[in-house]
Amino acid sequence: MKRAFAYVAEFDSAAAIYHAAEQVRDAGYKKWDVHTPYPVHGMDHAMGLGKSWLSGVVLCGGLTGFCTALFLQFFTQVDLYPTVVQGKPTNLNTVPAFFPVTFELTILFSAFAVLFGLLAFVMLPRWNHPLFGSKKFARFSDDGFILVIEARDAKFQEADTKEFLLSTGASGVELVEEEF
Amino acid sequence: MATETTTLRGGVKAAELEGIKRESLVLNKRSMQWITDRICGIVENRQPFIWWILFLPSVVLAGCLMFTLVYLVSTGVGVWGNNQPVAWGWAIVNFVFWIGIGHAGTLISAILFLTRQRWRTSVNRSAEAMTLFAVVCAGIYPGFHVGRFWMVWFLAPIPNANAIWQNFKSPLLWDVFAVSTYFTVSVIFWYIGLIPDLATLRDRSKAGLRKALYGIFALGWRGGNRQWRHYEMGYLLLAALSTPLVLSVHSVVSFDFATSVVPGWHTTIFPPYFVAGAIFGGFAMVLTLMLPVRKLYGLEDMFTGKHIDNMAKIILLTGTIVGYAYIMELFISYYGANKFEADAFYLRIVNGPYTWAYYCMFFCNVISPQIFWFEKARKNLWVVFIVANFVNAGMWFERFVIIPTTLARDFLPGQWGYYSPTWVEILMFCGTFGLFLSLFLLFIRFLPVIAIAEVKGVLPEADPHYPEWTALRKKRGLQPDGPEVETSHH
């Protein structure tokens, strides 16, 4: 069984799709996206999207790394197995010697937070997707500027949405179906 | 039209601005499709014959590396020339040399990103790849330098066989954390940058193994703006994390020396001096690799003369900083009135066993880049290539001067010695070059050498307001593709 998944509309330039996005945003669509070969400057504004809060995830990652490093060093050096090297004890006064490792682990955990946070936020990996069935859509990774309105959007109607997309300046509109 | 009266940003007359027209980042008004075709074409078409001419000897050399490592482990570290008093020989020289080369990649990808140097886009991918491969080569040395390679797990933060934990106050342990973090973060940064380009390769390939592999590594990237906005934030964050990281790594490497009480090593100038030197040497290696690649694969429109010019200027700047550090070390050894320090530097520059190496270093690192004050030299690719190779050699000599020179003359004459490498060390060093080049050639063969998505983003028509400002420029009587004018947008 097949059903409509989305309309895939192609635009000729970054400028054209930018203005189309503003119109789609103003028309009140919610389940739609703009697929471009590179991130188009200002598109978040044109689509009505706010700031990405990936930074929050990364802050948590960094703090975890920071605490892990301090714990690792204090616990092992002061409590678990104090090693006196060259007559130097380990206590609160030796904190400066712990800075390099603390710094490195803060960065390491933050970088992992970027990677895994990003994958979670963009919902990847997802190796298959109904849009991959469209030839028109595949051009997004070359020089295509593709606007997609999904059928699950409350405002989506096969005839009206197509007409609306053509009125925003799309050079071609294609209906993509999915199996279910 | 009345052009003389049009005033632009900063009170500059429009007509004056035409005279200092900014060079385009991509020449010959190439389209996005051309960029995709040209970069993906390197991966999709047969490699030129010269690729094989370079690849086969590189693999043989990498095999020599494997051989020397097996020989080293099966016989013992005595096959290396280092012994008391020179306990750190080529192994540590080459470790510092390779890790330093990596730094230019991170500098280009992180620091130039944060400072919005848009020319970085055509250089960063290959420079980051170079970083990874250089760190791989670097990592081999300390791993085998511990003597018993199978005990290398003692470096990891887990208790050893006697339940003893590492000494976290030791700079050598800091180094373990710094280098392994650096490698991991560089891999993450590189891979995240690759995802959109892998999607391009996936969409261009027909069904089969190629499509499956590129598809798996592209993770199903769809380039939607709802993905891009997180992607851009993630990339920015990684750049912001990598910037202090890269500065810390070579600082920590320099702590291996600077926190000791050995004359000639115990100096506070080491961290900034090592970092500047690392960036200096790394840029030289980027140029050494990319000048031939650019020519061989016809990438001149993306990797332009302007890029080379900028990189030559960075080499000039960092080379001069390094020169300042050399001279300041000498001055402080005189001014500081420490007899041992003064003696260490006297042996370096006047009458020591390795004085010749000091002058090789000084000529290669400080004198040779000064030619880049002249624009003609920066524009002549042969001059750039030759100077870059002088710098490669000079940076190796720098590490050599720092390590054996200092150790060969200990406090008491009875502890004096002379170090020279054995054939194992020499073959091993050549082998790391083989490994480095093999990995780089495979990178060219299988991955896009230029960040496709990023280069598209710096084309003039990539800006969504391109038609507006072109119209505005026309109205003001300016050339349509000249420098940007102030618009009312945003």
Side-chain angles (χ1 to χ4, degrees):
Chain A
M1 288 280 278
K2 283 191 169 187
R3 66 173 171 208
F5 176 75
Y7 269 122
V8 169
E10 191 176 11
F11 291 82
D12 297 331
S13 65
I17 203 165
Y18 182 86
H19 295 302
E22 287 176 325
Q23 292 175 51
V24 178
R25 173 196 67 195
D26 293 342
Y29 284 96
K30 295 280 177 260
K31 309 279 183 210
W32 63 289
D33 206 349
V34 169
H35 300 262
T36 47
Y38 58 90
V40 175
H41 186 68
M43 190 55 94
D44 292 352
H45 174 70
M47 285 181 69
L49 301 173
K51 171 183 151 56
S52 163
W53 281 103
L54 186 60
S55 44
V57 177
V58 176
L59 178 66
C60 296
L63 289 173
T64 312
F66 180 79
C67 296
T68 307
L70 284 182
F71 173 77
L72 177 70
Q73 296 176 88
F74 272 100
F75 180 64
T76 59
Q77 305 292 289
V78 179
D79 189 57
L80 197 62
Y81 202 113
T83 338
V84 180
V85 180
Q86 297 172 346
K88 290 167 192 150
T90 310
N91 51 39
L92 268 185
N93 295 327
T94 37
V95 168
F98 292 162
F99 281 0
V101 170
T102 311
F103 174 80
E104 301 300 339
L105 282 194
T106 307
I107 299 282
L108 183 68
F109 279 54
S110 307
F112 275 115
V114 172
L115 178 66
F116 294 114
L118 178 65
L119 290 180
F121 274 38
V122 301
M123 291 188 281
L124 292 180
R126 175 178 174 176
W127 284 287
N128 206 357
H129 194 276
L131 288 173
F132 288 146
S134 160
K135 277 247 157 41
K136 205 184 271 302
F137 176 77
R139 285 195 55 203
F140 89 89
S141 65
D142 184 9
D143 61 348
F145 294 88
I146 314 287
L147 200 152
V148 173
I149 299 183
E150 292 184 22
R152 63 197 169 101
D153 192 296
K155 274 183 67 77
F156 183 90
Q157 301 212 306
E158 281 208 29
D160 293 356
T161 304
K162 183 172 187 179
E163 211 160 287
F164 169 68
L165 279 171
L166 285 170
S167 76
T168 59
S171 58
V173 181
E174 179 191 318
L175 185 71
V176 176
E177 293 180 317
E178 66 173 333
E179 304 262 357
F180 72 104
Chain B
M1 270 178 241
T3 56
E4 282 74 17
T5 52
T6 315
T7 309
L8 302 176
R9 195 182 288 164
V12 184
K13 294 272 185 297
E16 289 170 23
L17 211 55
E18 285 298 298
I20 51 164
K21 195 169 161 182
R22 187 184 283 251
E23 275 178 57
S24 305
L25 290 168
V26 177
L27 302 178
N28 293 330
K29 294 195 173 49
R30 296 301 189 179
S31 69
M32 293 191 188
Q33 204 170 13
W34 183 87
I35 292 172
T36 318
D37 285 343
R38 179 51 62 100
I39 300 170
C40 294
I42 299 172
V43 175
E44 289 159 355
N45 299 333
R46 288 173 74 91
Q47 290 301 314
F49 187 59
I50 190 156
W51 187 89
W52 288 101
I53 295 183
L54 291 168
F55 184 67
L56 293 176
S58 301
V59 171
V60 171
L61 269 181
C64 290
L65 173 68
M66 292 311 293
F67 167 74
T68 51
L69 290 176
V70 170
Y71 181 67
L72 176 84
V73 170
S74 57
T75 314
V77 274
V79 300
W80 279 350
N82 48 339
N83 207 329
Q84 295 301 337
V86 186
W88 282 5
W90 270 32
I92 300 299
V93 171
N94 297 338
F95 162 68
V96 183
F97 171 75
W98 279 117
I99 202 98
I101 282 177
H103 282 49
T106 322
L107 180 104
I108 291 171
S109 52
I111 299 181
L112 297 187
F113 183 78
L114 290 185
T115 51
R116 300 184 185 223
Q117 297 296 309
R118 296 185 347 146
W119 59 273
R120 72 180 267 292
T121 51
S122 28
V123 200
N124 68 338
R125 172 68 44 74
S126 50
E128 285 170 36
M130 179 201 77
T131 295
L132 294 180
F133 307 148
V135 177
V136 166
C137 292
I140 291 171
Y141 285 102
F144 284 87
H145 200 258
V146 297
R148 299 175 195 168
F149 182 67
W150 54 98
M151 302 288 237
V152 82
W153 63 276
F154 274 30
L155 296 171
I158 40 172
N160 74 9
N162 296 322
I164 301 173
W165 281 80
Q166 288 73 24
N167 175 18
F168 282 95
K169 288 176 288 181
S170 160
L172 296 179
L173 191 69
W174 303 344
D175 218 9
V176 173
F177 276 83
V179 172
S180 51
T181 300
Y182 183 49
F183 183 72
T184 315
V185 174
S186 301
V187 170
I188 294 174
F189 203 4
W190 189 58
Y191 180 62
I192 289 184
L194 267 171
I195 292 173
D197 293 356
L198 290 171
T200 303
L201 282 166
R202 169 199 68 197
D203 292 344
R204 285 169 63 91
S205 43
K206 312 271 179 290
L209 186 65
R210 171 191 288 265
K211 181 142 188 137
L213 284 176
Y214 285 126
I216 287 168
F217 287 107
L219 304 177
W221 178 256
R222 296 190 303 279
N225 195 58
R226 287 173 204 273
Q227 294 182 330
W228 275 123
R229 73 192 187 105
H230 297 304
Y231 178 94
E232 282 197 288
M233 176 57 86
Y235 203 82
L236 175 69
L237 285 165
L238 275 180
L241 291 167
S242 301
T243 299
L245 176 66
V246 66
L247 301 182
S248 87
V249 174
H250 231 60
S251 299
V252 170
V253 170
S254 80
F255 289 162
D256 293 345
F257 305 96
T259 56
S260 70
V261 286
V262 177
W265 288 4
H266 189 61
T267 56
T268 48
I269 203 175
F270 260 29
Y273 150 35
F274 268 50
V275 171
I279 291 165
F280 175 60
F283 266 95
M285 188 57 91
V286 174
L287 282 172
T288 310
L289 293 174
M290 287 312 282
L291 285 177
V293 169
R294 160 186 189 272
K295 178 90 188 136
L296 197 58
Y297 294 100
L299 302 173
E300 286 97 336
D301 284 344
M302 286 173 281
F303 196 116
T304 67
K306 183 68 190 163
H307 290 93
I308 295 163
D309 187 68
N310 284 347
M311 286 158 82
K313 282 177 184 162
I314 290 178
I315 287 183
L316 173 62
L317 172 73
T318 47
T320 311
I321 293 174
V322 166
Y324 168 82
Y326 294 160
I327 291 164
M328 189 47 77
E329 268 189 324
L330 296 179
F331 173 72
I332 293 296
S333 71
Y334 152 75
Y335 188 70
N338 179 326
K339 221 160 80 178
F340 300 103
E341 192 77 17
D343 196 48
F345 283 93
Y346 175 80
L347 288 168
R348 261 190 213 180
I349 62 165
V350 184
N351 184 23
Y354 301 104
T355 304
W356 57 274
Y358 187 88
Y359 290 102
C360 283
M361 168 195 89
F362 203 89
F363 172 77
C364 293
N365 287 351
V366 187
I367 312 286
S368 78
Q370 300 305 322
I371 198 170
F372 287 149
W373 285 105
F374 303 101
E375 195 180 358
K376 267 209 171 114
R378 299 195 302 268
K379 296 261 183 260
N380 185 326
L381 300 188
W382 283 108
V383 172
V384 174
F385 189 75
I386 290 166
V387 171
N389 277 299
F390 268 123
V391 173
N392 287 331
M395 284 313 291
W396 186 86
F397 273 113
E398 181 193 297
R399 280 66 179 247
F400 184 77
V401 163
I402 290 171
I403 296 169
T405 303
T406 308
L407 293 174
R409 290 288 177 271
D410 212 330
F411 291 98
L412 296 171
Q415 295 166 314
W416 288 1
Y418 187 83
Y419 161 79
S420 45
T422 61
W423 66 269
V424 181
E425 281 161 295
I426 296 169
L427 191 59
M428 205 171 155
F429 184 48
C430 298
T432 50
F433 270 100
L435 178 66
F436 179 71
L437 281 178
S438 310
L439 290 171
F440 197 80
L441 288 163
L442 288 173
F443 157 71
I444 294 173
R445 169 68 187 79
F446 291 109
L447 291 170
V449 277
I450 290 183
I452 307 172
E454 286 192 43
V455 172
K456 286 175 188 166
V458 299
L459 293 175
E461 66 267 28
D463 188 312
H465 302 299
Y466 177 68
E468 279 108 318
W469 65 260
T470 310
L472 196 69
R473 291 186 58 81
K474 211 170 166 192
K475 208 171 99 190
R476 291 183 176 173
L478 301 167
Q479 290 295 316
D481 278 326
E484 209 177 327
V485 293
E486 199 161 6
T487 64
S488 56
H489 261 282
H490 297 307

